PDB file of all heavy atoms in Angstrom:
ATOM      1  N   LEU A  33      -9.064   8.281   5.026  1.00 98.00           N
ATOM      2  CA  LEU A  33     -10.181   7.338   4.906  1.00 98.00           C
ATOM      3  C   LEU A  33     -11.480   8.172   4.969  1.00 98.00           C
ATOM      4  O   LEU A  33     -11.660   8.951   5.898  1.00 98.00           O
ATOM      5  CB  LEU A  33     -10.143   6.298   6.022  1.00 98.00           C
ATOM      6  CG  LEU A  33      -8.972   5.331   5.998  1.00 98.00           C
ATOM      7  CD1 LEU A  33      -9.142   4.327   7.157  1.00 98.00           C
ATOM      8  CD2 LEU A  33      -8.836   4.578   4.678  1.00 98.00           C
ATOM      9  N   LYS A  43     -16.375 -11.949  15.339  1.00 97.00           N
ATOM     10  CA  LYS A  43     -15.630 -13.199  15.357  1.00 97.00           C
ATOM     11  C   LYS A  43     -15.706 -13.854  16.731  1.00 97.00           C
ATOM     12  O   LYS A  43     -16.030 -15.050  16.837  1.00 97.00           O
ATOM     13  CB  LYS A  43     -14.158 -12.941  15.014  1.00 97.00           C
ATOM     14  CG  LYS A  43     -13.199 -14.022  15.441  1.00 97.00           C
ATOM     15  CD  LYS A  43     -11.791 -13.757  14.936  1.00 97.00           C
ATOM     16  CE  LYS A  43     -10.756 -13.426  15.991  1.00 97.00           C
ATOM     17  NZ  LYS A  43     -10.542 -14.374  17.043  1.00 97.00           N
ATOM     18  N   VAL A  46     -19.390 -15.237  17.213  1.00 98.00           N
ATOM     19  CA  VAL A  46     -19.958 -16.291  16.361  1.00 98.00           C
ATOM     20  C   VAL A  46     -19.290 -17.644  16.601  1.00 98.00           C
ATOM     21  O   VAL A  46     -19.939 -18.686  16.568  1.00 98.00           O
ATOM     22  CB  VAL A  46     -19.819 -15.850  14.880  1.00 98.00           C
ATOM     23  CG1 VAL A  46     -18.448 -15.975  14.323  1.00 98.00           C
ATOM     24  CG2 VAL A  46     -20.801 -16.665  14.029  1.00 98.00           C
ATOM     25  N   LEU A  47     -17.997 -17.637  16.930  1.00 96.00           N
ATOM     26  CA  LEU A  47     -17.311 -18.925  17.135  1.00 96.00           C
ATOM     27  C   LEU A  47     -17.918 -19.659  18.343  1.00 96.00           C
ATOM     28  O   LEU A  47     -18.041 -20.897  18.367  1.00 96.00           O
ATOM     29  CB  LEU A  47     -15.788 -18.691  17.349  1.00 96.00           C
ATOM     30  CG  LEU A  47     -15.051 -18.070  16.154  1.00 96.00           C
ATOM     31  CD1 LEU A  47     -13.620 -17.744  16.549  1.00 96.00           C
ATOM     32  CD2 LEU A  47     -15.095 -18.984  14.961  1.00 96.00           C
ATOM     33  N   LEU A  69     -11.662 -16.557   8.183  1.00 92.00           N
ATOM     34  CA  LEU A  69     -11.073 -17.889   8.229  1.00 92.00           C
ATOM     35  C   LEU A  69     -11.466 -18.706   9.436  1.00 92.00           C
ATOM     36  O   LEU A  69     -11.713 -19.906   9.369  1.00 92.00           O
ATOM     37  CB  LEU A  69      -9.558 -17.763   8.188  1.00 92.00           C
ATOM     38  CG  LEU A  69      -8.870 -17.894   6.837  1.00 92.00           C
ATOM     39  CD1 LEU A  69      -7.375 -17.840   7.052  1.00 92.00           C
ATOM     40  CD2 LEU A  69      -9.268 -19.201   6.146  1.00 92.00           C
ATOM     41  N   ASP A  72     -14.527 -20.665   9.114  1.00 94.00           N
ATOM     42  CA  ASP A  72     -14.372 -21.862   8.318  1.00 94.00           C
ATOM     43  C   ASP A  72     -13.792 -22.996   9.155  1.00 94.00           C
ATOM     44  O   ASP A  72     -14.213 -24.164   9.075  1.00 94.00           O
ATOM     45  CB  ASP A  72     -13.405 -21.616   7.150  1.00 94.00           C
ATOM     46  CG  ASP A  72     -13.959 -20.558   6.184  1.00 94.00           C
ATOM     47  OD1 ASP A  72     -15.177 -20.413   6.121  1.00 94.00           O
ATOM     48  OD2 ASP A  72     -13.174 -19.916   5.527  1.00 94.00           O
ATOM     49  N   VAL A  77     -14.542 -28.007  12.470  1.00 95.00           N
ATOM     50  CA  VAL A  77     -14.507 -28.692  13.770  1.00 95.00           C
ATOM     51  C   VAL A  77     -15.901 -29.326  14.018  1.00 95.00           C
ATOM     52  O   VAL A  77     -16.017 -30.511  14.392  1.00 95.00           O
ATOM     53  CB  VAL A  77     -14.191 -27.715  14.937  1.00 95.00           C
ATOM     54  CG1 VAL A  77     -14.457 -28.343  16.289  1.00 95.00           C
ATOM     55  CG2 VAL A  77     -12.723 -27.257  14.823  1.00 95.00           C
ATOM     56  N   ASP A 107     -11.018 -32.895  15.675  1.00 87.00           N
ATOM     57  CA  ASP A 107      -9.795 -33.130  14.940  1.00 87.00           C
ATOM     58  C   ASP A 107      -8.655 -32.242  15.522  1.00 87.00           C
ATOM     59  O   ASP A 107      -8.781 -31.022  15.527  1.00 87.00           O
ATOM     60  CB  ASP A 107     -10.037 -32.772  13.472  1.00 87.00           C
ATOM     61  CG  ASP A 107      -8.831 -32.984  12.577  1.00 87.00           C
ATOM     62  OD1 ASP A 107      -7.736 -32.642  13.045  1.00 87.00           O
ATOM     63  OD2 ASP A 107      -9.010 -33.479  11.450  1.00 87.00           O
ATOM     64  N   ARG A 112      -5.924 -27.089  16.891  1.00 81.00           N
ATOM     65  CA  ARG A 112      -4.662 -26.351  17.107  1.00 81.00           C
ATOM     66  C   ARG A 112      -4.649 -25.066  16.337  1.00 81.00           C
ATOM     67  O   ARG A 112      -3.928 -24.149  16.659  1.00 81.00           O
ATOM     68  CB  ARG A 112      -3.457 -27.201  16.751  1.00 81.00           C
ATOM     69  CG  ARG A 112      -3.200 -28.265  17.803  1.00 81.00           C
ATOM     70  CD  ARG A 112      -1.838 -28.885  17.712  1.00 81.00           C
ATOM     71  NE  ARG A 112      -1.673 -29.906  18.738  1.00 81.00           N
ATOM     72  CZ  ARG A 112      -1.888 -31.221  18.483  1.00 81.00           C
ATOM     73  NH1 ARG A 112      -2.178 -31.655  17.287  1.00 81.00           N
ATOM     74  NH2 ARG A 112      -1.753 -32.089  19.463  1.00 81.00           N
ATOM     75  N   ASN A 192     -17.115 -21.229  28.496  1.00 97.00           N
ATOM     76  CA  ASN A 192     -17.140 -22.697  28.644  1.00 97.00           C
ATOM     77  C   ASN A 192     -17.986 -23.117  29.831  1.00 97.00           C
ATOM     78  O   ASN A 192     -18.766 -24.065  29.746  1.00 97.00           O
ATOM     79  CB  ASN A 192     -15.704 -23.233  28.808  1.00 97.00           C
ATOM     80  CG  ASN A 192     -15.345 -24.126  27.657  1.00 97.00           C
ATOM     81  OD1 ASN A 192     -16.181 -24.803  27.092  1.00 97.00           O
ATOM     82  ND2 ASN A 192     -14.068 -24.174  27.336  1.00 97.00           N
ATOM     83  N   VAL A 198     -25.497 -24.740  31.692  1.00 98.00           N
ATOM     84  CA  VAL A 198     -26.928 -24.667  31.267  1.00 98.00           C
ATOM     85  C   VAL A 198     -27.638 -25.999  31.300  1.00 98.00           C
ATOM     86  O   VAL A 198     -28.866 -26.031  31.483  1.00 98.00           O
ATOM     87  CB  VAL A 198     -27.053 -24.023  29.845  1.00 98.00           C
ATOM     88  CG1 VAL A 198     -26.826 -22.523  29.910  1.00 98.00           C
ATOM     89  CG2 VAL A 198     -26.142 -24.691  28.819  1.00 98.00           C
ATOM     90  N   VAL A 205     -23.181 -20.880  39.708  1.00 98.00           N
ATOM     91  CA  VAL A 205     -22.902 -19.449  39.798  1.00 98.00           C
ATOM     92  C   VAL A 205     -21.484 -19.222  39.338  1.00 98.00           C
ATOM     93  O   VAL A 205     -20.537 -19.831  39.859  1.00 98.00           O
ATOM     94  CB  VAL A 205     -23.068 -18.915  41.248  1.00 98.00           C
ATOM     95  CG1 VAL A 205     -22.781 -17.444  41.329  1.00 98.00           C
ATOM     96  CG2 VAL A 205     -24.494 -19.222  41.763  1.00 98.00           C
ATOM     97  N   ARG A 211     -17.292  -9.862  31.230  1.00 98.00           N
ATOM     98  CA  ARG A 211     -18.516  -9.100  30.900  1.00 98.00           C
ATOM     99  C   ARG A 211     -18.546  -8.622  29.453  1.00 98.00           C
ATOM    100  O   ARG A 211     -19.301  -7.698  29.104  1.00 98.00           O
ATOM    101  CB  ARG A 211     -18.625  -7.896  31.820  1.00 98.00           C
ATOM    102  CG  ARG A 211     -18.917  -8.298  33.256  1.00 98.00           C
ATOM    103  CD  ARG A 211     -19.249  -7.072  34.063  1.00 98.00           C
ATOM    104  NE  ARG A 211     -18.051  -6.342  34.478  1.00 98.00           N
ATOM    105  CZ  ARG A 211     -18.078  -5.079  34.836  1.00 98.00           C
ATOM    106  NH1 ARG A 211     -19.199  -4.392  34.813  1.00 98.00           N
ATOM    107  NH2 ARG A 211     -16.970  -4.483  35.205  1.00 98.00           N
ATOM    108  N   ASP A 217     -23.999 -11.783  24.338  1.00 98.00           N
ATOM    109  CA  ASP A 217     -24.617 -12.326  23.102  1.00 98.00           C
ATOM    110  C   ASP A 217     -24.788 -13.829  23.232  1.00 98.00           C
ATOM    111  O   ASP A 217     -25.855 -14.405  22.883  1.00 98.00           O
ATOM    112  CB  ASP A 217     -23.691 -12.001  21.910  1.00 98.00           C
ATOM    113  CG  ASP A 217     -24.413 -12.116  20.557  1.00 98.00           C
ATOM    114  OD1 ASP A 217     -25.620 -11.782  20.511  1.00 98.00           O
ATOM    115  OD2 ASP A 217     -23.784 -12.535  19.580  1.00 98.00           O
ATOM    116  N   THR A 223     -30.333 -18.374  26.089  1.00 98.00           N
ATOM    117  CA  THR A 223     -31.664 -18.162  26.614  1.00 98.00           C
ATOM    118  C   THR A 223     -32.715 -18.467  25.539  1.00 98.00           C
ATOM    119  O   THR A 223     -33.721 -19.113  25.826  1.00 98.00           O
ATOM    120  CB  THR A 223     -31.833 -16.665  27.048  1.00 98.00           C
ATOM    121  OG1 THR A 223     -30.780 -16.371  27.972  1.00 98.00           O
ATOM    122  CG2 THR A 223     -33.132 -16.386  27.690  1.00 98.00           C
ATOM    123  N   SER A 235     -21.040  -9.360  36.304  1.00 98.00           N
ATOM    124  CA  SER A 235     -19.875 -10.218  36.620  1.00 98.00           C
ATOM    125  C   SER A 235     -20.276 -11.399  37.483  1.00 98.00           C
ATOM    126  O   SER A 235     -19.398 -12.195  37.886  1.00 98.00           O
ATOM    127  CB  SER A 235     -18.747  -9.407  37.263  1.00 98.00           C
ATOM    128  OG  SER A 235     -19.248  -8.738  38.399  1.00 98.00           O
ATOM    129  N   ILE A 239     -26.946 -19.553  36.747  1.00 98.00           N
ATOM    130  CA  ILE A 239     -27.506 -20.422  35.701  1.00 98.00           C
ATOM    131  C   ILE A 239     -28.306 -21.496  36.407  1.00 98.00           C
ATOM    132  O   ILE A 239     -27.771 -22.262  37.229  1.00 98.00           O
ATOM    133  CB  ILE A 239     -26.379 -21.081  34.890  1.00 98.00           C
ATOM    134  CG1 ILE A 239     -25.432 -19.991  34.370  1.00 98.00           C
ATOM    135  CG2 ILE A 239     -26.942 -21.906  33.746  1.00 98.00           C
ATOM    136  CD1 ILE A 239     -24.008 -20.379  34.338  1.00 98.00           C
ATOM    137  N   GLY A 241     -29.859 -24.883  35.812  1.00 98.00           N
ATOM    138  CA  GLY A 241     -29.768 -25.910  34.798  1.00 98.00           C
ATOM    139  C   GLY A 241     -31.116 -26.409  34.317  1.00 98.00           C
ATOM    140  O   GLY A 241     -32.059 -26.501  35.119  1.00 98.00           O
ATOM    141  N   GLU A 288     -14.177   7.333  23.841  1.00 98.00           N
ATOM    142  CA  GLU A 288     -13.764   8.396  24.784  1.00 98.00           C
ATOM    143  C   GLU A 288     -12.316   8.771  24.535  1.00 98.00           C
ATOM    144  O   GLU A 288     -11.921   9.972  24.512  1.00 98.00           O
ATOM    145  CB  GLU A 288     -13.957   7.841  26.210  1.00 98.00           C
ATOM    146  CG  GLU A 288     -13.815   8.811  27.332  1.00 98.00           C
ATOM    147  CD  GLU A 288     -14.877   9.855  27.298  1.00 98.00           C
ATOM    148  OE1 GLU A 288     -16.025   9.548  26.875  1.00 98.00           O
ATOM    149  OE2 GLU A 288     -14.567  10.994  27.695  1.00 98.00           O
ATOM    150  N   GLY A 303     -25.294   3.470  13.728  1.00 98.00           N
ATOM    151  CA  GLY A 303     -23.881   3.383  13.800  1.00 98.00           C
ATOM    152  C   GLY A 303     -23.275   4.612  14.408  1.00 98.00           C
ATOM    153  O   GLY A 303     -23.937   5.308  15.204  1.00 98.00           O
ATOM    154  N   VAL A 306     -16.847   8.876  12.848  1.00 98.00           N
ATOM    155  CA  VAL A 306     -15.620   9.371  13.484  1.00 98.00           C
ATOM    156  C   VAL A 306     -14.905  10.228  12.456  1.00 98.00           C
ATOM    157  O   VAL A 306     -14.637   9.803  11.333  1.00 98.00           O
ATOM    158  CB  VAL A 306     -14.699   8.208  13.889  1.00 98.00           C
ATOM    159  CG1 VAL A 306     -13.427   8.687  14.482  1.00 98.00           C
ATOM    160  CG2 VAL A 306     -15.438   7.302  14.910  1.00 98.00           C
ATOM    161  N   SER A 344       3.153   9.096  24.757  1.00 97.00           N
ATOM    162  CA  SER A 344       2.052   8.328  25.393  1.00 97.00           C
ATOM    163  C   SER A 344       2.576   7.074  26.045  1.00 97.00           C
ATOM    164  O   SER A 344       3.584   6.476  25.627  1.00 97.00           O
ATOM    165  CB  SER A 344       0.973   8.056  24.376  1.00 97.00           C
ATOM    166  OG  SER A 344       1.110   6.818  23.859  1.00 97.00           O
ATOM    167  N   LEU A 364       8.942   0.777  10.605  1.00 97.00           N
ATOM    168  CA  LEU A 364       8.300   1.880   9.883  1.00 97.00           C
ATOM    169  C   LEU A 364       8.720   3.228  10.454  1.00 97.00           C
ATOM    170  O   LEU A 364       8.188   4.271  10.030  1.00 97.00           O
ATOM    171  CB  LEU A 364       6.758   1.718   9.980  1.00 97.00           C
ATOM    172  CG  LEU A 364       6.171   0.475   9.341  1.00 97.00           C
ATOM    173  CD1 LEU A 364       4.666   0.387   9.636  1.00 97.00           C
ATOM    174  CD2 LEU A 364       6.393   0.445   7.843  1.00 97.00           C
ATOM    175  N   ALA A 386       7.897   0.378   4.712  1.00 97.00           N
ATOM    176  CA  ALA A 386       8.867  -0.705   4.762  1.00 97.00           C
ATOM    177  C   ALA A 386       8.148  -2.012   4.600  1.00 97.00           C
ATOM    178  O   ALA A 386       6.943  -2.058   4.481  1.00 97.00           O
ATOM    179  CB  ALA A 386       9.607  -0.629   6.098  1.00 97.00           C
ATOM    180  N   ALA A 395      -2.274  -7.541  15.275  1.00 94.00           N
ATOM    181  CA  ALA A 395      -1.009  -6.917  14.876  1.00 94.00           C
ATOM    182  C   ALA A 395      -1.034  -6.591  13.376  1.00 94.00           C
ATOM    183  O   ALA A 395      -0.614  -5.524  12.942  1.00 94.00           O
ATOM    184  CB  ALA A 395       0.156  -7.852  15.201  1.00 94.00           C
ATOM    185  N   GLY A 398      -3.037  -3.518  12.845  1.00 98.00           N
ATOM    186  CA  GLY A 398      -2.259  -2.341  13.303  1.00 98.00           C
ATOM    187  C   GLY A 398      -1.231  -1.934  12.263  1.00 98.00           C
ATOM    188  O   GLY A 398      -1.017  -0.756  12.019  1.00 98.00           O
ATOM    189  N   HIS A 417      -3.110 -13.946   8.660  1.00 92.00           N
ATOM    190  CA  HIS A 417      -3.545 -13.698  10.044  1.00 92.00           C
ATOM    191  C   HIS A 417      -4.743 -12.708  10.051  1.00 92.00           C
ATOM    192  O   HIS A 417      -5.657 -12.870  10.839  1.00 92.00           O
ATOM    193  CB  HIS A 417      -2.403 -13.087  10.849  1.00 92.00           C
ATOM    194  CG  HIS A 417      -1.335 -14.054  11.233  1.00 92.00           C
ATOM    195  ND1 HIS A 417      -1.546 -15.116  12.043  1.00 92.00           N
ATOM    196  CD2 HIS A 417      -0.034 -14.106  10.860  1.00 92.00           C
ATOM    197  CE1 HIS A 417      -0.432 -15.798  12.182  1.00 92.00           C
ATOM    198  NE2 HIS A 417       0.503 -15.227  11.474  1.00 92.00           N
ATOM    199  N   ALA A 434      -8.256   4.158   0.403  1.00 98.00           N
ATOM    200  CA  ALA A 434      -6.879   3.762   0.606  1.00 98.00           C
ATOM    201  C   ALA A 434      -6.263   3.258  -0.695  1.00 98.00           C
ATOM    202  O   ALA A 434      -6.957   2.621  -1.494  1.00 98.00           O
ATOM    203  CB  ALA A 434      -6.809   2.709   1.698  1.00 98.00           C
TER     204      ALA A 434
END
Side-chain angles (χ1 to χ4, degrees):
L33 295 182
K43 161 174 111 57
V46 76
L47 298 174
L69 264 183
D72 297 334
V77 169
D107 181 319
R112 286 195 182 97
N192 243 329
V198 285
V205 180
R211 290 190 281 160
D217 198 35
T223 305
S235 55
I239 307 143
E288 190 64 34
V306 178
S344 97
L364 297 174
H417 287 295

